[in-house]
Amino acid sequence: MKKLTDNDITPEAIFFLRRRTLLKQLGISAAALSLPATGSADILSWLSGDAPAKPQPGKPITLTRPAQYQNDLPLTPEDKVTGYNNFYEFGLDKAAPARNAGTLKTDGWQLQIDGEVAKPLTLDMDAIFKRFAMEQRIYRLRCVEAWSMVVPWVGFSLAKLLQAAEPTSKARFVAFQTRYAPDEMPGQKDSFIGGGLSYPYVEGLRLDEAMHPLTLLATGVYGKTLPPQNGAPIRLIVPWKYGFKGIKSIVKITLTSCQPPTTWNQLAPEEYGFYANVNPHVDHPRWSQASERVIGSGGILDVKRQPTLLFNGYGDQVARLYRGMNLREYF
Ligand SMILES: Nc1nc2c(c(=O)[nH]1)N[C@H]1C(S)=C(S)[C@@H](COP(=O)(O)O)O[C@H]1N2
Ligand SMILES: [Mo]
């Protein structure tokens, strides 16, 4: 029998695609799958038998500012941050992105900022590194699948980029789009690989959330440029929201007057809201969000759990954005 490793945990979307077949193969009832994310998903992934990842490293980044938002949280080991990923364009298992994302072409990358702005911009990565001071930010990352990490990102506040484009008075939301290149991203071509999501992956924030100083455009991790599996060359990080809001490999940012569609919400609106604020009191319909599995250095038996914090522990900084809102309704 194959030994279980940490990389064997399967993602969420496997339920939507493989549920029926695997249930048959397993000869078990649907009720048996109504376990927290790490029980059932582990078993399914184990059956799928994927090889462990070979993480692809980045290049060193010079920090042009002193480190900010540092804290004393123990960092998740680098090989886990770059080897245990969700990037469905490259497959569903946690090791697939590190193994497969090398086909993503990041040379000559252009990031476009358009929509409700006075000054639309198109920037290449050189321009981004020249224009914006890079700083390290150590943030908690809480995936909606109930696992978590602590990651030292490198990047800059999204607010600085948006200010440069000068949002008009009509701008109320910000829409983000991942690169669409089916020849580089097999999951965009084949819905079995891509988890049945519609591509390109899109995400969105309210303008005030996007302008919040904690909201980061990350260009690096662990002091180096982002490896492809982490969303090279530039991706979003919103530390008080579930990880799926942190859209990877962004090519376009559009300011809009209406709330934009978002990928996971389109797949299952009753399970993944637009806001997706980390909230231990609002469970996912199929599992509890009260606690989370901490990704550590060990394998599957390294099962430290900890309570999940409201707004992932950033409530003192972000709760004001949601004053007067019913967080069960706007989940
Ligand atoms: N384009 C794209 N962005 C994505 C995803 C994805 O599948 N495609 N997965 C999301 C999810 S569910 C999580 S938890 C984080 C994981 O980021 P990491 O692999 O760098 O830890 O990326 C998010 N961004
Ligand atoms: Mo996630």
Side-chain angles (χ1 to χ4, degrees):
M1 273 206 174
K2 195 170 159 278
K3 193 169 165 281
L4 282 173
T5 74
D6 219 13
N7 281 328
D8 285 327
I9 314 281
T10 356
E12 227 328 74
I14 200 152
F15 286 95
F16 296 100
L17 274 180
R18 301 186 188 167
R19 195 165 205 243
R20 208 168 300 153
T21 356
L22 281 162
L23 281 175
K24 258 197 208 140
Q25 285 171 11
L26 287 164
I28 54 175
S29 68
L33 280 185
S34 303
L35 298 164
T38 51
S40 52
D42 288 354
I43 298 166
L44 296 180
S45 171
W46 172 54
L47 287 168
S48 75
D50 290 304
K54 223 193 256 146
Q56 302 184 28
K59 300 185 191 89
I61 296 182
T62 313
L63 298 179
T64 42
R65 276 189 140 200
Q68 286 184 40
Y69 301 93
Q70 293 272 12
N71 50 51
D72 49 11
L73 298 171
L75 297 183
T76 302
E78 186 174 358
D79 67 325
K80 285 296 190 297
V81 173
T82 61
Y84 182 96
N85 302 98
N86 274 338
F87 200 166
Y88 282 16
E89 285 87 335
F90 298 101
L92 305 188
D93 87 276
K94 299 300 190 241
R99 205 168 47 226
N100 302 334
T103 51
L104 177 67
K105 289 196 185 101
T106 56
D107 290 350
W109 195 273
Q110 303 230 303
L111 174 62
Q112 193 183 333
I113 299 96
D114 64 9
E116 290 295 344
V117 292
K119 287 195 179 151
L121 292 169
T122 302
L123 299 171
D124 61 23
M125 290 309 295
D126 280 350
I128 288 169
F129 277 104
K130 255 188 221 133
R131 199 159 170 164
F132 303 102
M134 297 298 154
E135 58 189 79
Q136 176 168 281
R137 306 232 193 138
I138 295 170
Y139 282 161
R140 292 185 198 86
L141 170 76
R142 171 59 156 81
C143 178
V144 74
E145 297 164 341
W147 53 263
S148 72
M149 297 189 183
V150 175
V151 184
W153 301 109
V154 176
F156 60 102
S157 279
L158 171 63
K160 292 191 177 147
L161 178 68
L162 297 181
Q163 275 153 3
E166 298 179 12
T168 70
S169 58
K170 286 191 196 142
R172 288 184 53 230
F173 292 89
V174 185
F176 303 83
Q177 192 180 305
T178 293
R179 177 171 170 81
Y180 185 68
D183 290 340
E184 298 165 29
M185 301 163 131
Q188 292 183 337
K189 229 190 247 178
D190 178 334
S191 82
F192 191 79
I193 296 172
L197 299 180
S198 46
Y199 294 104
Y201 195 103
V202 289
E203 256 306 335
L205 295 171
R206 237 171 38 192
L207 184 60
D208 60 341
E209 298 175 320
M211 296 297 280
H212 193 283
L214 284 176
T215 304
L216 193 71
L217 277 177
T219 56
V221 69
Y222 262 103
K224 287 162 281 188
T225 55
L226 290 172
Q229 63 269 24
N230 290 97
I234 189 160
R235 59 91 57 90
L236 182 69
I237 296 292
V238 194
W240 70 92
K241 293 179 179 285
Y242 290 120
F244 68 84
K245 297 297 286 183
I247 180 172
K248 294 179 169 180
S249 305
I250 300 168
V251 290
K252 200 149 92 110
I253 299 179
T254 306
L255 286 90
T256 61
S257 54
C258 300
Q259 184 175 305
T262 58
T263 291
W264 277 96
N265 181 253
Q266 282 177 310
L267 181 79
E270 65 296 338
E271 300 192 1
Y272 309 99
F274 174 81
Y275 283 92
N277 292 315
V278 175
N279 192 335
H281 312 300
V282 178
D283 287 337
H284 186 280
R286 289 183 278 120
W287 59 81
S288 164
Q289 295 291 28
S291 70
E292 61 206 40
R293 187 170 60 90
V294 181
I295 303 297
S297 53
I300 194 91
L301 296 176
D302 185 6
V303 286
K304 185 174 175 270
R305 287 196 84 84
Q306 67 188 18
T308 287
L309 302 170
L310 182 60
F311 297 117
N312 208 21
Y314 300 96
D316 54 341
Q317 292 158 86
V318 303
R320 63 175 171 83
L321 299 174
Y322 309 102
R323 208 170 286 149
M325 270 175 73
N326 179 343
L327 299 178
R328 281 181 191 282
E329 191 180 343
Y330 295 98
F331 63 98

